[in-house]
Amino acid sequence: MYVWARLARTMATAKSRGDYQVGTESRLVFRCLPTDIDLNLHLNNARYMMLADVGRIDLFMRSGLGKMIRQRKWAPMLGGLQTVFVREIRLWQRFHVYSAIETWQGTQALGRHRFVLESGETAATVMTTAGVYDRPGRRFLQMDEVVCALGGDARPRPLDEDEKAFLASHVAMRSAARGRS
């Protein structure tokens, strides 16, 4: 089952998992298939990012953001990510992807995707920063605006030390990339 089939399954079953609330985790279950592996017979690097995308789309669909994106001509955009691999996910092994919007600051939302083996051990963690671009307004929206538009009253929590380090690294790399343009 390649990415499109996994995405279609996630979208088709979104309602059965209920609404997503900021501060909670979404859980999707996958199996490492022959189309997912590299020469080491384990989940290849790119698949982690693709499955994190599926997790994010699940959050969009279940929070109502997916519908709002279409109606208001908004565009969710990934700003960057960092991945830490701890254990391998072997061919045919089942695993869970837990996705969450951890907190936000200004126009950036911080996401976390945890890849967890059936044993409960963490195989990898992907941290992301993303924003929502308002195409008609030609600007990135403040995340508080997005939460309010979704009808929520959640407030961002303070960044933990890992999140501060991730954001600092992200800002430094973005600055370096712009300097090389």
Side-chain angles (χ1 to χ4, degrees):
M1 186 184 320
Y2 197 61
V3 63
W4 296 112
R6 285 175 166 157
L7 185 57
R9 184 187 80 184
T10 298
M11 292 173 73
T13 61
K15 285 187 180 189
S16 69
R17 287 187 302 284
D19 291 342
Y20 173 76
Q21 301 297 319
V22 173
T24 64
E25 284 186 313
S26 164
R27 181 179 67 93
L28 299 173
V29 180
F30 298 103
R31 184 175 300 276
C32 183
L33 301 174
T35 55
D36 297 328
I37 61 172
D38 59 19
L39 293 174
N40 296 316
L41 302 180
H42 62 210
L43 194 68
N44 78 47
N45 312 12
R47 280 295 185 262
Y48 285 92
M49 305 327 128
M50 183 271 297
L51 293 169
D53 283 342
V54 174
R56 267 190 303 285
I57 291 168
D58 183 52
L59 298 181
F60 296 164
M61 299 303 293
R62 293 177 46 222
S63 68
L65 185 59
K67 184 177 180 182
M68 198 166 288
I69 286 167
R70 289 186 306 278
Q71 290 173 342
R72 298 185 183 197
K73 297 184 178 143
W74 289 353
M77 295 192 180
L78 189 63
L81 58 84
Q82 185 172 357
T83 306
V84 177
F85 302 103
V86 183
R87 293 188 166 46
E88 66 182 352
I89 298 175
R90 304 285 302 165
L91 178 61
W92 303 118
Q93 198 169 15
R94 276 176 46 106
F95 61 95
H96 305 256
V97 178
Y98 293 90
S99 300
I101 299 168
E102 295 287 336
T103 189
W104 59 92
Q105 196 174 57
T107 59
Q108 295 184 85
L110 267 74
R112 187 180 313 256
H113 305 275
R114 295 182 309 113
F115 291 73
V116 179
L117 303 173
E118 289 281 289
S119 66
E121 295 175 293
T122 297
T125 299
V126 178
M127 290 184 70
T128 63
T129 179
V132 178
Y133 189 73
D134 176 9
R135 289 184 179 176
R138 301 183 62 152
R139 68 184 181 98
F140 277 93
L141 298 168
Q142 294 291 316
M143 292 312 299
D144 285 334
E145 290 178 72
V146 176
V147 171
C148 183
L150 290 170
D153 59 0
R155 294 285 163 234
R157 63 165 173 72
L159 301 175
D160 66 25
E161 292 306 312
D162 291 343
E163 293 161 345
K164 287 178 186 174
F166 167 63
L167 269 185
S169 171
H170 174 72
V171 168
M173 287 185 74
R174 186 173 282 278
S175 295
R178 285 189 175 139
R180 292 187 182 131
S181 306

